[in-house]
Amino acid sequence: MESEVEKLISRAESLSAKFQQGGESSYIDEAIDLDREALKLCPQAHPDRGMLLNNLAADLSHRYNQLGAIGDLEEAIALDREALSICPQGHPNRSMALSNLAAYLSSRYNKLGALQDLDEAILL
């Protein structure tokens, strides 16, 4: 039997995929709401918390790429920084968080031109 968190994740992933295939912005908005709800239900020390942070960051990034709201990108960066802080070397979600954070920093560099974002992305 699926847990409540697993159901929320599954529904969020489906809505995100629909959005990425050219769906309405309401799909990604709902996916983000579901990601947030799943994250609230996941204790700080849970081994999947890093994955949930990455999921929310990815959906915010998708919405940023489509709609251009810099706040979404800023939040995605903050969430992946948090994911990295709880995923030590060797953790299965660490490489995904590093890759995503580098991509988000690169996107922010492209938008705002801050060299420190580009430098950090390269160092990751």
Side-chain angles (χ1 to χ4, degrees), residues 67-86:
L67 304 176
I70 193 69
D72 286 340
L73 186 57
E74 298 284 352
E75 186 177 357
I77 289 169
L79 289 164
D80 263 350
R81 287 187 198 284
E82 183 180 346
L84 281 174
S85 76
I86 62 172

Side-chain angles (χ1 to χ4, degrees), residues 4 7 14-15 17 32 37 39 54-55 57 65 67 72 85 88 93 96 98 101 104 106 118:
E4 183 65 23
K7 288 177 187 177
S14 295
L15 288 164
I32 289 167
E37 193 173 335
L39 196 54
N54 276 315
N55 287 355
N65 289 334
L67 304 176
D72 286 340
S85 76
N93 293 331
M96 180 174 49
L98 282 168
L101 180 56
Y104 303 154
S106 179
L118 188 58

Side-chain angles (χ1 to χ4, degrees), residues 37-58:
E37 193 173 335
L39 196 54
K40 284 180 190 173
L41 295 174
C42 186
Q44 290 288 336
H46 194 280
D48 290 335
R49 187 166 178 82
M51 179 196 64
L52 295 175
L53 290 164
N54 276 315
N55 287 355
L56 176 53

